[in-house]
Amino acid sequence: MSTPQTIDTPPAPVSKGRLIAGYVLSCLPALMLLVGGAMNILKTEVAVDGAKKIGYADDVLLPLGIVTVASVVLLLIPRTAIVGALLVTGFLGGAVGVHVRQQDPLINVLVPVIFASVIWIGLVLRSPKLNSLMPWGEGL
């Protein structure tokens, strides 16, 4: 039986396999968000049409794209990953709200929830400190 983890006890190191799995899980949705952010910054036809469809003017695309890209970059940097994940989660929560307000199909509501969940699962896998805060503690 192992001793309980305390705040002062350094967490056990993460295995290479877990680290790779964590980065893969976090990076796949992050890359999709980067592409979406870049499309907003460049004001592509798809981005402009999508903004109009949900009731946004095209002048919000640039700031929205910058915030998206900046949040994802923070997510991908190990020292700022938790802040980035929080910002991306807030962004994706806004997407859920927009889809609910638009009365879109359930899959449109679930995709941002799935993206955020996968990002956080990846982050928990690669961060021993974050993993130790989870209800299962060091057990995962």
Side-chain angles (χ1 to χ4, degrees), residues 69-98:
V69 169
S71 299
V72 172
V73 167
L74 288 172
L75 171 68
L76 296 176
I77 299 169
R79 290 185 68 93
T80 59
I82 292 176
V83 172
L86 289 169
L87 293 171
V88 168
T89 302
F91 171 80
L92 292 170
V96 168
V98 167

Side-chain angles (χ1 to χ4, degrees), residues 62-133:
L62 180 62
L64 190 60
I66 291 170
V67 167
T68 304
V69 169
S71 299
V72 172
V73 167
L74 288 172
L75 171 68
L76 296 176
I77 299 169
R79 290 185 68 93
T80 59
I82 292 176
V83 172
L86 289 169
L87 293 171
V88 168
T89 302
F91 171 80
L92 292 170
V96 168
V98 167
H99 288 301
V100 168
R101 182 178 54 85
Q102 293 286 116
Q103 297 180 342
D104 287 339
L106 182 61
I107 189 67
N108 292 16
V109 175
L110 291 179
V111 166
V113 172
I114 292 167
F115 269 40
S117 299
V118 169
I119 286 170
W120 278 99
I121 290 168
L123 191 57
V124 166
L125 284 174
R126 68 183 209 238
S127 170
K129 287 182 182 179
L130 191 56
N131 184 50
S132 70
L133 296 174

